[in-house]
């Protein structure tokens, strides 16, 4: 797994050194120069606007266009589904504020992974990394990319069904182009992210404005028995929250690129608060707009809620909606690859992944190998697996680990009280969010034990992997030589060099 002779001891030392660097406010970046006499490093290119576009651009993907069905079917009534949307927004804000505190006191990139490393040590961090690498991230990427493939082909095939293989091929092209963009330039990735964020806010505007017009015209018949309690099932509520929290997932991505943020103490909390306010308002108003033209039954019967809405209200213009939705999904793919590559980059720097992943392209200044690592796994999951069971199976692991990170925040308050915290949240916020995460995990065990069990087993395989690859590192000489030569070959092919 790694070609360094990095024992658990050296991992802890690396974590400690990184921690010192983060306390001094200096980022562990490079000293190498390229041919233009610029350092080969990841520069501080993420401004407030780019930060907001990473968060909004990653959160608003296909969730609002696919998920309303999941929330409505599990919550049982229109009124209840709107309450779930608002509650998920508030809970996501609690989680995001907790992450804002972590991002301002631990100034290292890597998001969840880095915070678990700081609070609970390298073994726990490796289990998180392992689950991310082999299950969570490829599944999340495959889900959002499949939505992209579905919607980009929709105008071409209307009103017929799209052949499943065509969707998968369009998806594969989409994933490849996102990987290419992120390999080529950090600046262009950020610029395109801003453009995609504005286009998705425009798409949501196209849904909200006519919907509000209908509402003010008196189209309220679907809201008359909004709180019909006879259909509400208690066991379905956690799954409704899953669908909702999935639609909001992505508020944590800015924390993956902390080292590249300009003035993180101010930018991180500000970007998070502005983004969450915009997203929650958009989501709730979009759902209200849906219900002005669709009854609960019509919404559940629809294959793509946003398209059905546009057909009913906007006539021929409805052909443009799938294109906007596809752009929205593309923005999510772009934002998440940009952020996640930094986690693999940091994990490699800590000695838990092959060394080549923490190297940077000599001219383009992008972590090329770290960007490409997800490509094979995502392609594999794309051609095998059902989108909705993937969603539940992935949500369980995601919330389990996010709960652990926020627990780490509470733990660090007591173990490292003198850590500088430029932004500090009241203790009840992480406590409420942490309890919510663990409640969702336990309820998912109850509601969907098979998928949850599979998720749990996958994350537990990280324990033997940790001891095999990281802890007991006395490898046979031939294996070490093979790994070294593999690293060297990749380094030459990709034209990357170490960043320190």
């Amino acid at each position: 797994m790694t070609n360094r002779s990095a024992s658990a001891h050296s991992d802890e030392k690396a974590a400690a050194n990184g921690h010192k660097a983060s306390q001094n406010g200096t980022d562990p970046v490079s000293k190498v120069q390229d041919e233009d006499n610029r350092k080969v490093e990841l520069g501080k290119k993420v401004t407030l606007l780019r930060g907001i576009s990473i968060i909004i651009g990653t959160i608003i993907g296909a969730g609002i266009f696919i998920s309303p069905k999941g929330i409505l079917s599990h919550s049982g009534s229109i009124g209840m589904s709107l309450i779930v949307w608002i509650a998920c927004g508030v809970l996501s804000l609690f989680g995001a504020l907790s992450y804002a505190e972590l991002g301002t006191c631990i100034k290292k990139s890597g998001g969840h992974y880095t915070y678990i490393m700081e609070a609970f040590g390298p073994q726990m961090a490796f289990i998180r990394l392992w689950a991310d690498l082999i299950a969570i991230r490829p599944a999340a990427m495959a889900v959002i990319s499949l939505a992209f493939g579905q919607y980009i082909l929709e105008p071409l095939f209307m009103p017929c069904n799209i052949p499943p293989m065509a969707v998968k091929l369009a998806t594969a092209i989409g994933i490849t182009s996102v990987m290419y963009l992120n390999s080529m330039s950090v600046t262009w990735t950020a610029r395109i992210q801003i453009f995609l964020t504005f286009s998705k806010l425009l798409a949501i505007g196209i849904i909200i404005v006519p919907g509000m017009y209908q509402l003010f015209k008196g189209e309220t018949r679907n809201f008359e028995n909004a709180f019909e309690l006879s259909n509400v099932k208690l066991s379905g509520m956690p799954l409704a929250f899953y669908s909702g929290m999935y639609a909001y997932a992505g508020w944590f991505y800015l924390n993956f690129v902390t080292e590249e943020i300009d003035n993180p103490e101010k930018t991180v909390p500000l970007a998070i608060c502005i983004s969450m306010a915009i997203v929650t308002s958009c989501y709730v108003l979009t759902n209200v707009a849906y219900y002005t033209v669709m009854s609960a039954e019509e919404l559940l019967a629809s294959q793509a809620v946003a398209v059905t809405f546009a057909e009913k209200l906007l006539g021929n213009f409805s052909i443009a909606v799938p294109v906007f939705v596809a752009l929205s999904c593309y923005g999510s793919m772009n934002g998440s690859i940009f952020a996640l590559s930094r986690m693999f980059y940091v994990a490699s720097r800590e000695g838990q992944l092959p060394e080549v992943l923490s190297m940077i392209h000599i001219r383009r200044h992008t972590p090329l190998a770290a960007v490409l690592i997800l490509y094979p796994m995502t392609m594999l999951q794309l051609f095998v697996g059902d989108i909705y069971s993937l969603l539940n199976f992935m949500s369980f692991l995601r919330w389990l680990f996010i709960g652990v990170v926020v627990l780490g925040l509470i733990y660090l308050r007591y173990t490292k009280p003198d850590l500088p915290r430029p932004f500090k949240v009241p203790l009840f916020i992480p406590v409420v969010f942490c309890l919510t995460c663990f409640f969702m995990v336990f309820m998912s065990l109850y509601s969907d034990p098979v998928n949850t069990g599979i998720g749990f087993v996958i994350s537990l395989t990280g324990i033997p992997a940790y001891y095999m690859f990281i802890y007991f590192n006395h490898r046979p000489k031939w294996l070490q030589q093979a790994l070294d030569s593999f690293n060297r070959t990749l380094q030459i092919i990709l034209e990357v060099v170490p960043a320190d």
Side-chain angles (χ1 to χ4, degrees):
M1 187 81 176
T2 172
N3 80 326
R4 276 179 229 184
S5 314
S7 63
H9 173 69
S10 71
D11 278 340
E12 274 155 22
K13 207 166 85 184
N17 290 345
H19 183 61
K20 272 183 211 145
S22 76
Q23 276 188 311
N24 298 339
T26 57
D27 299 325
V29 288
S30 78
K31 308 286 179 287
V32 186
Q33 312 275 313
D34 71 358
E35 59 262 46
D36 303 329
N37 271 341
R38 289 187 304 159
K39 283 182 185 176
V40 178
E41 65 180 12
L42 297 175
K44 287 189 175 290
K45 291 183 177 172
V46 180
T47 56
L48 179 63
L49 179 62
R50 285 176 180 178
I52 292 171
S53 77
I54 288 171
I55 300 175
I56 296 182
T58 313
I59 295 180
I60 303 177
I64 186 65
F65 309 106
I66 294 176
S67 270
K69 277 200 296 194
I71 290 183
L72 183 60
S73 63
H74 292 303
S75 62
S77 73
I78 285 180
M80 212 60 199
S81 74
L82 290 174
I83 287 174
V84 170
W85 275 108
I86 294 168
C88 287
V90 172
L91 283 170
S92 298
L93 177 65
F94 279 12
L97 288 171
S98 306
Y99 267 60
E101 176 178 323
L102 284 165
T104 53
C105 74
I106 301 168
K107 295 188 192 70
K108 290 202 294 182
S109 293
H112 318 307
Y113 169 80
T114 301
Y115 305 145
I116 293 176
M117 172 80 87
E118 294 287 329
F120 303 115
Q123 184 181 352
M124 192 75 172
F126 181 80
I127 293 170
R128 160 79 216 195
L129 177 72
W130 180 257
D132 254 352
L133 193 56
I134 64 170
I136 303 179
R137 296 305 159 193
M141 200 64 193
V143 167
I144 190 71
S145 310
L146 272 171
F148 165 78
Q150 175 76 33
Y151 282 105
I152 199 83
L153 294 176
E154 189 104 11
L156 304 175
F157 283 86
M158 275 180 176
C160 309
N161 286 334
I162 309 169
M165 190 43 76
V167 173
K168 289 188 172 176
L169 288 174
T171 304
I173 293 167
I175 295 172
T176 309
S177 65
V178 167
M179 296 279 181
Y180 178 77
L181 173 65
N182 275 275
S183 307
M184 287 299 114
S185 162
V186 173
T187 309
W188 273 104
T189 302
R191 281 177 188 157
I192 285 174
Q193 189 63 15
I194 292 172
F195 163 73
L196 291 168
T197 301
F198 279 115
S199 75
K200 69 181 65 183
L201 290 175
L202 177 65
I204 282 188
I206 290 170
I207 293 171
I208 291 175
V209 174
M212 291 300 111
Y213 175 67
Q214 292 291 315
L215 193 63
F216 292 127
K217 239 172 56 177
E219 287 289 331
T220 55
R221 62 178 185 282
N222 292 330
F223 296 100
E224 277 158 16
N225 294 321
F227 290 93
E228 195 69 59
L229 291 176
S230 55
N231 301 331
V232 177
K233 301 185 296 291
L234 197 63
S235 66
M237 287 307 281
L239 288 175
F241 266 91
Y242 255 14
S243 290
M245 295 298 267
Y246 168 69
Y248 282 103
W251 43 261
F252 39 75
Y253 279 117
L254 193 60
N255 294 63
F256 284 75
V257 294
T258 313
E259 286 166 30
E260 291 169 70
I261 297 173
D262 197 23
N263 192 1
E265 292 90 342
K266 281 189 183 153
T267 308
V268 172
L270 204 55
I272 282 173
C273 293
I274 294 170
S275 305
M276 292 312 296
I278 293 173
V279 171
T280 308
S281 319
C282 284
Y283 276 4
V284 175
L285 291 173
T286 305
N287 275 282
V288 171
Y290 285 154
Y291 294 132
T292 58
V293 292
M294 280 184 266
S295 65
E297 291 71 31
E298 286 174 311
L299 192 117
L300 290 173
S302 164
Q303 281 300 302
V305 183
V307 178
T308 311
F309 172 87
E311 279 167 0
K312 283 185 172 244
L313 216 53
L314 305 172
N316 289 339
F317 186 71
S318 67
I319 203 156
V321 171
V323 178
F324 275 120
V325 178
L327 280 175
S328 177
C329 297
Y330 196 81
S332 265
M333 291 153 68
N334 186 43
S336 52
I337 287 288
F338 178 70
L340 291 169
S341 56
R342 276 37 177 194
M343 180 178 72
F344 300 129
Y345 169 81
V346 170
S348 167
R349 201 170 63 191
E350 299 285 1
Q352 292 198 345
L353 282 178
E355 194 175 358
V356 72
L357 294 175
S358 60
M359 295 185 187
I360 289 172
H361 194 279
I362 50 174
R363 289 182 305 280
R364 305 195 185 282
H365 296 223
T366 56
L368 194 59
V371 169
L372 298 177
I373 187 175
L374 276 180
Y375 191 66
M377 287 297 290
T378 308
M379 286 300 184
L380 185 71
Q381 296 227 3
L382 173 63
F383 290 97
V384 209
D386 159 44
I387 193 164
Y388 276 105
S389 64
L390 270 180
L391 206 96
N392 288 338
F393 152 60
M394 173 187 96
S395 285
F396 155 72
L397 282 178
R398 175 181 265 169
W399 298 118
L400 175 67
F401 284 118
I402 289 176
V404 169
V405 170
V406 178
L407 190 65
L409 179 145
I410 301 165
Y411 179 67
L412 284 172
R413 285 268 182 104
Y414 293 103
T415 54
K416 295 180 182 171
D418 46 358
L419 200 65
R421 291 180 172 85
F423 177 84
K424 196 169 178 180
V425 291
L427 197 59
F428 82 91
I429 287 182
V431 169
V432 168
F433 185 75
C434 201
L435 290 173
T436 308
C437 284
F438 291 126
F439 172 72
M440 281 165 61
V441 168
F442 286 123
M443 283 304 277
S444 71
L445 267 168
Y446 170 75
S447 301
D448 192 357
V450 178
N451 273 325
T452 310
I454 295 170
F456 208 64
V457 168
I458 283 178
S459 57
L460 287 179
T461 57
I463 298 173
Y466 176 77
Y467 284 103
M468 270 160 56
F469 297 127
I470 312 289
Y471 194 76
F472 299 118
N473 58 350
H474 303 297
R475 296 193 190 87
K477 201 172 176 187
W478 60 269
L479 180 61
Q480 189 59 54
Q481 282 172 340
L483 282 170
D484 284 346
S485 108
F486 172 73
N487 252 323
R488 249 195 326 276
T489 311
L490 262 185
Q491 196 183 338
I492 293 164
I493 293 170
L494 297 174
E495 295 188 301
V496 289
V497 292
D500 14 60

